[in-house]
Amino acid sequence: MVKRTRFDDESCPVARSVDVVGDWWSLLIVRDAFDGSHRFGDFQRSLGVAKNILSTRLRALEDNGILEHHGRDYTLTAKGEALFPVIVALRQWGEAFAFEPGEPHSQLLDRRHHQPLKPLEIHAADGRRVTSGDTEVRKVP
Amino acid sequence: MVKRTRFDDESCPVARSVDVVGDWWSLLIVRDAFDGSHRFGDFQRSLGVAKNILSTRLRALEDNGILEHHGRDYTLTAKGEALFPVIVALRQWGEAFAFEPGEPHSQLLDRRHHQPLKPLEIHAADGRRVTSGDTEVRKVP
């Protein structure tokens, strides 16, 4: 294993999140948990990774409070459930930019009307829609 | 370098995004670009990684159409700018879950009123606010 650069001593919440989630593809475990995977075998079939690597990632997600397991069932904790906007944001970006026109891909639908969700929008506290150019980072002194 | 598992043959947009962005911490390069970093030295000071590793990551982000450079300036493409919701989602999750109470962290503010942004909400196409439990994934056959 390559030693991963750690950013968790930083004061930036983005860097902290990157560290707490761990590996990039651990997000795909989280995605699978949202999509109904509960058992080790579910994750393994979906991700096609070696058992020992999957075990390590599942344990790291548990250690970081994102997953918990009861018996043989893995479920998202509240902290894990709170990653839903991250998954939705990645999904919508992927849909927009990572497929050829007409190339088939899975879709996340509203269960009631079976329609794709609304694209994420960023709003200021007063409700105005903002883009990155309307924002600024206040650094910690 | 460890061979990274590739998921880009999948039909899942989340997996595609993970692959297109590349390494997990490449998102921190994207974050820095949103925060005003343009030069190699800016990224290096912010991230504290070895020059050769940073070069490789910058080149991968360029190859994948997320960054472009003109002379010595790196800027986000439209595709890169579209990652803003991903960065905001990670930031808000980190603020909520990855710091001790009272521990200082940087903040993303609305430039007009200098207030933190509104927490991201997920909405169905008809405007209803939904949680992960209100959604389902339609797999590609």
Side-chain angles (χ1 to χ4, degrees):
Chain A
M1 288 273 96
V2 156
K3 191 181 166 305
R4 205 161 49 83
T5 310
R6 289 195 66 81
F7 300 96
D8 67 352
D9 57 347
E10 279 196 40
S11 60
C12 172
V14 183
R16 283 284 174 101
S17 296
V18 164
D19 254 343
V20 173
V21 173
D23 287 284
W24 211 177
W25 68 267
S26 290
L27 275 182
L28 301 183
I29 298 178
V30 173
R31 172 206 61 183
D32 283 346
F34 278 120
D35 296 354
S37 290
H38 290 295
R39 297 287 176 89
F40 189 92
D42 299 335
F43 295 110
Q44 218 214 339
R45 267 188 301 282
S46 167
L47 296 167
V49 293
K51 286 184 180 181
N52 62 330
I53 293 176
L54 180 58
S55 291
T56 306
R57 294 304 180 283
L58 285 169
R59 200 158 44 235
L61 287 170
E62 280 191 84
D63 290 346
N64 289 327
I66 293 170
L67 283 181
E68 57 192 0
H69 82 274
H70 303 286
R72 295 165 61 196
D73 271 356
Y74 291 88
T75 50
L76 291 164
T77 61
K79 184 175 172 180
E81 287 274 354
L83 282 167
F84 193 55
V86 175
I87 300 289
V88 172
L90 283 166
R91 170 177 284 278
Q92 292 185 340
W93 187 80
E95 288 183 351
F97 294 103
F99 290 85
E100 298 298 321
E103 190 183 359
H105 56 75
S106 70
Q107 287 189 300
L108 185 67
L109 303 178
D110 163 23
R111 202 184 275 278
R112 192 182 300 177
H113 298 301
H114 309 287
Q115 293 298 315
L117 303 181
K118 205 172 156 191
L120 281 172
E121 296 176 354
I122 316 287
H123 294 271
D126 62 9
R128 279 166 28 248
R129 191 164 169 192
V130 294
T131 65
S132 64
D134 302 317
T135 65
E136 62 189 4
V137 172
R138 175 159 57 196
K139 302 272 184 194
V140 175
Chain B
M1 286 275 98
V2 156
K3 192 181 166 303
R4 205 160 51 82
T5 311
R6 289 195 65 81
F7 301 97
D8 67 353
D9 56 347
E10 282 196 39
S11 60
C12 172
V14 183
R16 282 284 174 102
S17 296
V18 164
D19 253 343
V20 174
V21 173
D23 286 284
W24 206 181
W25 68 267
S26 290
L27 275 181
L28 301 183
I29 298 177
V30 173
R31 172 207 61 182
D32 283 346
F34 278 120
D35 296 354
S37 289
H38 290 294
R39 297 288 177 86
F40 188 92
D42 298 335
F43 296 110
Q44 217 214 339
R45 266 189 301 282
S46 167
L47 295 168
V49 293
K51 285 183 181 181
N52 60 332
I53 293 176
L54 179 58
S55 290
T56 305
R57 294 305 178 283
L58 285 168
R59 201 157 46 237
L61 288 170
E62 280 191 85
D63 289 347
N64 289 328
I66 293 170
L67 284 180
E68 58 193 0
H69 82 273
H70 303 286
R72 295 166 60 198
D73 271 356
Y74 291 89
T75 50
L76 291 164
T77 62
K79 184 176 172 179
E81 287 274 354
L83 282 167
F84 194 54
V86 175
I87 300 290
V88 172
L90 283 167
R91 172 178 284 279
Q92 292 185 339
W93 187 80
E95 288 183 350
F97 294 102
F99 289 86
E100 298 298 320
E103 190 183 358
H105 55 76
S106 69
Q107 287 189 300
L108 185 67
L109 303 179
D110 163 23
R111 202 184 274 279
R112 193 183 298 176
H113 297 301
H114 309 287
Q115 293 296 317
L117 303 181
K118 206 172 155 190
L120 282 172
E121 295 175 357
I122 316 289
H123 294 270
D126 63 8
R128 278 166 30 247
R129 191 164 170 191
V130 292
T131 65
S132 64
D134 302 317
T135 65
E136 63 189 4
V137 172
R138 175 158 59 195
K139 303 273 183 195
V140 174

